[in-house]
Amino acid sequence: TALQSGSYNRPGYLRLDFGWSGALSPEQLHEVEHVSNRALREDLPVSAQYMTLPEAREWGALALFGETYGEEVRVVEIGGPWSRELCGGTHVDRSSQIGTVVVTSDGSVGAGNRRIEALTGIEGFAYLAKERDLVLQLTDVLKARPDEVPTRVNDLLARLRATEKELEKLKSAQLQGAAGDVAGAAVDVDGVAVVTHRAEGVGGGDARSLALDVRGRLQDRAAVVVVVGTANDRPSVVVAVTPAAQERGLAANALVGVVGERIGGKGGGKPDVAQGGGTDVGGIDAAFAAVHDAVRAAVGR
């Protein structure tokens, strides 16, 4: 079936559509490839004949789902009963002319339907050659035999994940250690302690943790804390406001909008904590200045 339920709309390309629920396992895909290539090696004859659709069904011919057929259909047969299917065209007289079948992908094309894509002939051999070259490059880089490559790669990935976790722990510890210095840099704006801090390379989650930590150190005062992280060259803003500052008319969800306007973004949240993002790290300084102006305007009313 894999040889015939295909679409030869470009050289060396084979597409098989069939009814199936769920993804095929690697073993099943390997079996499809193995059975197909075994048929190629057997050099089965390929023939075609025309008949009515009822006759084709009685003969055991398979049809692609979703297709519309006329009164007369063309049935292509490979190796007698090995494969009988309705098909509009074929390019070989014997199965061995296909050369090889190399399965490249399997995916869903609708509820209960899947599609296997493969390469045949020269294109199939070229695909295998590229895979061989890739394996040779990996064996050279990893200093391992081809059969050792998967284990070596898995080991490297495990070590990488462990290293990333350690780096995250170190970054969190560094941010916590810096919270005291950041809080100490607060500027008095009409009786409100305003902290504006740019955290280089820090994402939204860490920026939030830092902002809350700094606010906690200023909890006994009217304070506004604005932290903007710059991970991946995209600003992430977090605004945290103490209860005393809220009593003076300051709200985090209003101030995050002031920042968002200057960094090409927006945000939202509650009066005590709000956060957002933007696209322009170049507007951070202007955003901090705007926060000072907004605080001065709010408490000066």
Side-chain angles (χ1 to χ4, degrees):
T1 301
L3 292 177
Q4 195 57 43
S5 292
S7 172
Y8 291 90
N9 57 353
R10 66 175 187 264
Y13 171 72
L14 174 64
R15 187 185 71 197
L16 167 65
D17 293 338
F18 59 101
W20 192 267
S21 178
L24 294 175
S25 68
E27 291 76 16
Q28 289 171 318
L29 289 173
H30 178 75
E31 181 66 15
V32 169
E33 193 175 72
H34 174 71
V35 170
S36 299
N37 282 295
R38 187 172 61 192
L40 302 190
R41 290 194 298 272
E42 292 176 359
D43 193 29
L44 301 174
V46 180
S47 61
Q49 54 186 301
Y50 291 89
M51 60 186 71
T52 66
L53 186 57
E55 288 174 336
R57 287 173 174 165
E58 183 178 354
W59 202 37
L62 300 178
L64 293 176
F65 64 87
E67 295 287 348
T68 301
Y69 300 98
E71 293 183 2
E72 188 177 59
V73 295
R74 183 174 183 270
V75 179
V76 175
E77 184 180 68
I78 299 177
W82 194 90
S83 175
R84 290 191 182 118
E85 302 188 31
L86 275 61
C87 183
T90 182
H91 298 278
V92 296
D93 295 318
R94 303 190 69 86
S95 63
S96 63
Q97 292 176 276
I98 296 174
T100 188
V101 170
V102 181
V103 174
T104 58
S105 68
D106 160 54
S108 174
V109 289
N113 295 312
R114 298 196 69 79
R115 171 174 296 167
I116 290 177
E117 294 187 344
L119 293 173
T120 63
I122 295 298
E123 286 75 13
F125 286 115
Y127 181 88
L128 293 175
K130 288 182 180 179
E131 286 201 330
R132 177 203 60 198
D133 292 341
L134 177 60
V135 171
L136 289 176
Q137 292 176 38
L138 288 173
T139 58
D140 183 56
V141 171
L142 299 173
K143 306 301 180 185
R145 298 192 306 270
D147 60 332
E148 296 175 332
V149 168
T151 300
R152 291 288 185 89
V153 171
N154 286 332
D155 289 344
L156 286 174
L157 289 175
R159 290 166 58 186
L160 178 61
R161 285 191 289 267
T163 301
E164 288 176 341
K165 288 182 180 179
E166 288 299 319
L167 287 174
E168 286 299 320
K169 290 180 181 178
L170 290 173
K171 182 185 290 184
S172 296
Q174 185 179 33
L175 287 174
Q176 290 176 359
D181 293 336
V182 174
V187 176
D188 184 272
V189 178
D190 290 342
V192 177
V194 178
V195 175
T196 53
H197 179 70
R198 176 173 178 151
E200 296 292 349
V202 172
D206 288 330
R208 182 183 178 91
S209 296
L210 178 59
L212 295 179
D213 193 350
V214 173
R215 185 185 65 174
R217 296 169 186 266
L218 301 171
Q219 196 67 27
D220 59 342
R221 303 168 59 184
V224 170
V225 180
V226 180
V227 176
V228 180
T230 60
N232 300 318
D233 205 34
R234 294 182 68 88
S236 299
V237 57
V238 179
V239 180
V241 178
T242 63
Q246 293 178 57
E247 292 175 1
R248 298 193 62 180
L250 295 167
N253 49 358
L255 292 173
V256 77
V258 172
V259 177
E261 290 178 3
R262 275 75 181 178
I263 61 174
K266 57 183 179 180
K270 298 180 179 180
D272 59 335
V273 181
Q275 63 188 75
T279 58
D280 182 17
V281 295
I284 294 177
D285 289 342
F288 288 163
V291 168
H292 282 79
D293 291 340
V295 170
R296 189 175 293 109
V299 299
R301 288 195 296 245

